[in-house]
Amino acid sequence: EEYRRIKSGSHTYVVSPDQYDDGDYPITETQTNAPVASSNENSINPSRKPPPGPGWKDKIVLEGEHNCRHWVSPTRNIEFRRRTQACEFEDLRNKIGCEFRAWEEYRRIKSGSDKHVVSPNQYDTERIGKNPTTPRTKEKNTTSSLARKKGNVNESKNMNLMETPFNSRPLPTPEDGLNCCEMKIVRIKPSKKPCFFTERFPNRILRIENGLDSAPPQKLVTSRGMKYTLASGKVMQEKKGLRPQFNNEKRIELVYIKTQGLQKELEKICSFSLMKPEKVVARLAHLQSEAHKILYIDMRYIEWIEEEGHEGCGFYPEGFFNDWGRKKYDAMQVRILGPKIGLAKGMLLRKRGITRIQLPESMRKAPPSRTCDERWAAVVIKNVYPSEENNQLGRHLDPEGAPAKSWREKVRKPLSSMYQRMLIGYGVKESDVTKYTKQSRHPNKLRHAHLRGCTDPTGKLPEHKVFISGYISSSDNSCELFGKVHKKVYLSRSPCLEPFDAKLVSVVGTKPKGMSDDDWKMLCSLKFGTIIFPKSTLFDPLPCLIADGDLDGDDYFVLYDEEILNHLLHSKDKLTAKSRKLLHKLELPDGAGLTINKKSKFSKNADNKWLAKAQDNMLDFSTKRAGSQIVGKLWSLCLKSSTRANTKIDLYDKDAISYAKAYKDALDVQKHGGQLVLPRHLHQNLPVSVQELFLTPT
């Protein structure tokens, strides 16, 4: 504040100084941008000339000894000192359709001349017309130049991506967060990965980490003399041992933002006011989550498509993201958000023959903004696929490939006890499961993988069959498609506890009838690491039959060990014969989806207190503690009920199935809402403090 007063009327030599002001300061970068002469406003008559365009506003400013009229643009509030130049800018806005790009074009046109704009540098997303002095800019320009020399960059494709629509990039690492009493720094090693909040509100983020056993902080906190408002909260899972299904949720990271009118600012991104509080909390947590990369595109590159069993997976055009990164990826897990789109969440698989990103309705998680008409869309890339593990495994399976030495020598974790339990429960001998568990720790004996699920981009895969990408060595050591060597696989996902949580599924190994050669070639070009599910219009979507899965980011457990598959397919053992029918039954079990509804539904009436209600949910630590206790207890009771005195496993025990259903519902209820259901006679096995949270099925 003192520095601003000293530099009043002169250059501050600070990038976008207004963002650091805690209040309204009548201080300017140059003498031409003087304080508003509110006392003399009446000395100027209302303008006889119409504004440059719809949404423009005028303001009276004291320049030297005279009052002058300035014109302010509708979206970014760019302040023009002359109406003629404002009209020129309006023409560019109408022609280009985006104020951010219009400003870039205006800067290029006016390069070397007066822009007639107050402090024009503050509106730049990058330093236009200046030498690249920062290492990041230098690296970017060098890479682009080198790529053009090699012929790897198509200049027309560069138009897919745009610069950040916000004033400036965040710092390389987020600010240290202090607890609510400002007693200790909680993030000792700040992450260098970006998140949407740090880009949208650069240098205005405060992270607070609290234990769920402690008292929650307030909705408004003060740090270093500045006030911050609670924007989101995300429970951090502490995974211990080999049981990732245990949600040992002990701590929560809360994100506070320094801004006036936070609710209005968030409403410019999505219409959160049309959603239930628990859904709002889950969606805001997506904006808090760290990402692999954040890119920006114009809305014209996105289109919504009809839902055909996509289950949360859309498509992007081949080569669309080639300008970003050196590697080519087959798929990516994304959150796409912007005023015109709302929030979309799920997977994107590359697809030939399209020019826009295609999003099915199952990816829509929040409706578009009702208060902002900007056309930018942020593509928040959570992960890219195939993963490094599957990339190395694919090179190991391919007789023409060669994995890294470090990968070959690495000893892997044993097969999860959750998957072991299911195989034994289906009738596979415990000795065979134990034998494979030990052998699979070494690459040469590894016969299972966790593959990322996606939707068929061709629409020609047969119902109830899957395509597994990548090549594998056949019996004669020739290189063949995975599905030509392994025609059946055992398929499941985590968490799997009930007898109908796994299936035996056929794998496509040759070009299906009706599929074009180009589409088949595209499928065959995918690297190992993806499992493609068919579209579905007449039957239940296949992912939903695999432990109630979907395709918005789920990994699927694929087992192709010949000895275990042979037992499940051909053994005359009584238990295996019973299980075989269930493993081949591709129908939803009775009562599926009745207690927890995962589909996104939006209200027609806006709730003006949505942020306060969401904050109450974020700070309800007691409920979160109870949820964590319930999850662990239900898991233990399920295992106990299904284990007999002779250590054999009975997956078909009715009490174990009831506990398993309640366990999976308990994982989802805080995100989607709903009610936990458990038979009355099982309530007594739960802690008294949580029994009231359960209903008895009718």
Side-chain angles (χ1 to χ4, degrees):
E1 293 174 4
E2 183 62 21
Y3 183 84
R4 285 286 254 162
R5 280 190 285 271
I6 294 173
K7 293 292 184 179
S8 176
S10 61
H11 207 295
T12 61
Y13 294 96
V14 173
V15 176
S16 305
D18 294 341
Q19 64 180 303
Y20 306 110
D21 294 338
D22 212 13
D24 295 329
Y25 288 88
I27 301 172
T28 58
E29 286 293 295
T30 62
Q31 291 183 355
T32 58
N33 180 17
V36 176
S38 57
S39 60
N40 297 327
E41 280 183 348
N42 295 331
S43 63
I44 285 191
N45 296 325
S47 176
R48 297 180 180 180
K49 297 181 180 180
W56 284 77
K57 298 179 181 178
D58 63 323
K59 59 184 293 187
I60 307 303
V61 175
L62 181 64
E63 290 187 2
E65 299 179 355
H66 303 282
N67 287 329
C68 297
R69 191 181 306 277
H70 287 189
W71 300 93
V72 181
S73 67
T75 303
R76 301 187 63 196
N77 296 326
I78 301 175
E79 187 175 343
F80 286 79
R81 292 185 278 111
R82 298 293 182 268
R83 184 179 180 279
T84 301
Q85 283 68 33
C87 291
E88 292 177 8
F89 182 71
E90 175 65 12
D91 291 338
L92 289 175
R93 288 180 73 249
N94 294 331
K95 179 180 178 180
I96 297 176
C98 173
E99 188 162 315
F100 300 100
R101 291 193 175 185
W103 173 251
E104 295 175 5
E105 184 64 21
Y106 182 83
R107 286 284 260 162
R108 281 189 285 270
I109 293 173
K110 296 292 185 178
S111 177
S113 61
D114 193 350
K115 285 79 178 171
H116 295 283
V117 172
V118 176
S119 305
N121 292 342
Q122 64 180 303
Y123 306 111
D124 294 341
T125 55
E126 62 177 358
R127 297 187 178 184
I128 299 176
K130 294 193 176 185
N131 293 327
T133 56
T134 63
R136 184 173 67 86
T137 309
K138 224 180 246 189
E139 179 182 348
K140 178 178 177 181
N141 290 349
T142 303
T143 303
S144 301
S145 175
L146 181 62
R148 281 193 290 271
K149 289 180 182 178
K150 293 183 177 180
N152 294 333
V153 173
N154 186 339
E155 287 292 336
S156 63
K157 288 183 179 179
N158 287 338
M159 296 301 293
N160 291 345
L161 307 181
M162 57 185 286
E163 288 295 325
T164 171
F166 313 119
N167 280 346
S168 62
R169 288 281 186 180
L171 296 174
T173 58
E175 296 181 16
D176 293 331
L178 307 180
N179 68 6
C180 58
C181 297
E182 301 185 343
M183 292 178 63
K184 71 170 186 177
I185 297 175
V186 297
R187 188 179 277 262
I188 304 217
K189 295 182 180 179
S191 173
K192 295 183 179 180
K193 292 184 177 181
C195 81
F196 179 77
F197 272 150
T198 57
E199 295 232 344
R200 177 61 185 86
F201 304 99
N203 310 321
R204 289 183 280 169
I205 300 295
L206 178 70
R207 299 176 185 270
I208 293 180
E209 185 178 312
N210 264 81
L212 291 180
D213 294 330
S214 63
Q218 301 297 316
K219 297 178 183 179
L220 295 174
V221 299
T222 301
S223 176
R224 299 167 187 168
M226 294 179 285
K227 294 182 179 180
Y228 293 80
T229 304
L230 177 61
S232 67
K234 188 177 181 66
V235 175
M236 297 178 291
Q237 300 179 2
E238 296 181 3
K239 297 180 179 180
K240 297 181 179 180
L242 302 175
R243 292 184 174 180
Q245 65 274 7
F246 272 109
N247 277 11
N248 296 321
E249 301 173 340
K250 296 182 179 180
R251 303 194 68 79
I252 184 171
E253 185 183 64
L254 302 170
V255 168
Y256 288 75
I257 297 176
K258 173 182 169 287
T259 186
Q260 293 183 355
L262 178 61
Q263 179 166 304
K264 290 184 179 180
E265 289 296 321
L266 295 176
E267 278 284 333
K268 292 180 181 179
I269 303 172
C270 305
S271 290
F272 294 108
S273 60
L274 304 181
M275 303 168 64
K276 294 181 178 179
E278 58 269 15
K279 291 281 190 180
V280 173
V281 173
R283 303 313 174 217
L284 289 174
H286 294 323
L287 312 189
Q288 170 185 349
S289 299
E290 294 174 345
H292 182 80
K293 185 74 175 178
I294 301 180
L295 306 173
Y296 296 91
I297 60 176
D298 190 275
M299 263 299 299
R300 68 176 180 271
Y301 294 116
I302 299 176
E303 64 179 348
W304 292 97
I305 59 176
E306 184 180 354
E307 181 68 30
E308 295 180 307
H310 293 80
E311 295 301 310
C313 179
F315 310 105
Y316 70 92
E318 287 189 301
F320 189 88
F321 294 108
N322 280 3
D323 299 330
W324 159 68
R326 300 176 182 175
K327 297 181 180 179
K328 292 185 178 180
Y329 305 103
D330 293 333
M332 53 184 66
Q333 184 182 14
V334 300
R335 286 90 168 95
I336 302 179
L337 62 153
K340 289 287 188 180
I341 190 174
L343 172 64
K345 168 182 172 288
M347 292 292 299
L348 292 181
L349 180 68
R350 65 180 173 93
K351 178 180 178 179
R352 59 176 295 274
I354 61 175
T355 58
R356 299 179 181 179
I357 294 175
Q358 295 182 337
L359 305 178
E361 282 297 322
S362 54
M363 290 185 70
R364 193 190 296 272
K365 303 302 178 183
S369 172
R370 301 195 300 178
T371 62
C372 182
D373 61 354
E374 296 175 8
R375 295 185 56 81
W376 60 267
V379 182
V380 182
I381 302 175
K382 286 285 294 178
N383 291 296
V384 292
Y385 300 93
S387 64
E388 183 58 29
E389 171 65 22
N390 280 335
N391 185 43
Q392 295 295 331
L393 178 55
R395 293 167 65 178
H396 171 73
L397 296 174
D398 189 341
E400 300 176 3
K405 180 180 178 181
S406 58
W407 184 88
R408 294 196 308 268
E409 296 175 349
K410 181 176 68 174
V411 178
R412 280 147 192 80
K413 295 180 180 179
L415 181 66
S416 168
S417 59
M418 176 178 59
Y419 295 125
Q420 294 184 51
R421 171 183 176 272
M422 295 293 290
L423 292 170
I424 296 171
Y426 287 135
V428 181
K429 294 180 181 179
E430 185 175 359
S431 58
D432 290 344
V433 175
T434 303
K435 175 184 174 183
Y436 173 73
T437 299
K438 293 180 179 179
Q439 292 179 343
S440 64
R441 302 188 71 178
H442 303 280
N444 291 335
K445 299 293 184 179
L446 183 63
R447 297 293 183 271
H448 72 266
H450 293 86
L451 307 181
R452 186 52 57 112
C454 291
T455 302
D456 174 24
T458 71
K460 299 298 182 180
L461 284 182
E463 294 273 5
H464 298 155
K465 291 187 177 182
V466 299
F467 177 85
I468 295 179
S469 60
Y471 290 83
I472 195 170
S473 178
S474 63
S475 56
D476 59 354
N477 291 326
S478 61
C479 184
E480 298 286 357
L481 277 173
F482 186 97
K484 202 166 185 178
V485 178
H486 299 287
K487 302 186 186 314
K488 282 267 189 180
V489 294
Y490 171 91
L491 194 57
S492 188
R493 63 177 287 274
S494 175
C496 55
L497 296 168
E498 303 177 75
F500 29 78
D501 280 348
K503 299 295 176 184
L504 290 170
V505 180
S506 299
V507 185
V508 173
T510 57
K511 187 181 77 169
K513 184 178 179 180
M515 183 180 291
S516 69
D517 292 338
D518 288 338
D519 283 345
W520 178 244
K521 184 179 179 181
M522 188 274 295
L523 284 182
C524 295
S525 71
L526 299 176
K527 296 180 180 179
F528 180 82
T530 307
I531 178 169
I532 309 293
F533 289 86
K535 291 183 179 179
S536 178
T537 54
L538 301 177
F539 302 94
D540 294 321
L542 184 54
C544 300
L545 311 181
I546 314 298
D548 192 26
D550 53 40
L551 301 178
D552 70 352
D554 287 1
D555 277 331
Y556 287 83
F557 173 74
V558 180
L559 177 71
Y560 49 94
D561 179 76
E562 292 183 4
E563 186 175 348
I564 293 178
L565 284 175
N566 184 63
H567 181 94
L568 292 173
L569 289 168
H570 306 295
S571 174
K572 296 181 180 180
D573 174 74
K574 189 174 181 180
L575 176 58
T576 305
K578 175 184 177 181
S579 300
R580 188 180 303 126
K581 295 180 181 179
L582 195 59
L583 287 168
H584 280 114
K585 186 178 181 180
L586 299 179
E587 297 177 4
L588 283 174
D590 295 336
L594 294 181
T595 55
I596 306 296
N597 186 358
K598 296 183 180 180
K599 294 184 178 180
S600 298
K601 293 185 178 180
F602 311 124
S603 173
K604 294 181 180 180
N605 301 318
D607 184 353
N608 295 328
K609 298 182 180 180
W610 66 266
L611 181 58
K613 294 178 180 179
Q615 291 171 334
D616 290 337
N617 185 298
M618 299 172 201
L619 299 177
D620 188 1
F621 288 5
S622 60
T623 299
K624 298 184 190 303
R625 285 196 304 270
S628 180
Q629 294 172 3
I630 290 173
V631 168
K633 187 63 177 178
L634 290 172
W635 168 263
S636 300
L637 290 171
C638 177
L639 296 187
K640 184 177 180 181
S641 299
S642 61
T643 305
R644 297 292 173 256
N646 55 3
T647 69
K648 289 188 176 181
I649 295 173
D650 182 8
L651 290 181
Y652 300 91
D653 181 87
K654 292 184 178 180
D655 289 349
I657 292 175
S658 295
Y659 284 129
K661 288 182 177 179
Y663 167 81
K664 289 189 284 188
D665 287 345
L667 294 175
D668 294 326
V669 70
Q670 291 191 21
K671 291 189 296 181
H672 305 288
Q675 187 66 54
L676 299 177
V677 176
L678 196 67
R680 173 62 63 182
H681 71 280
L682 300 180
H683 288 202
Q684 61 185 357
N685 297 325
L686 295 168
V688 178
S689 59
V690 300
Q691 289 183 14
E692 61 182 13
L693 301 177
F694 288 83
L695 293 180
T696 302
T698 56

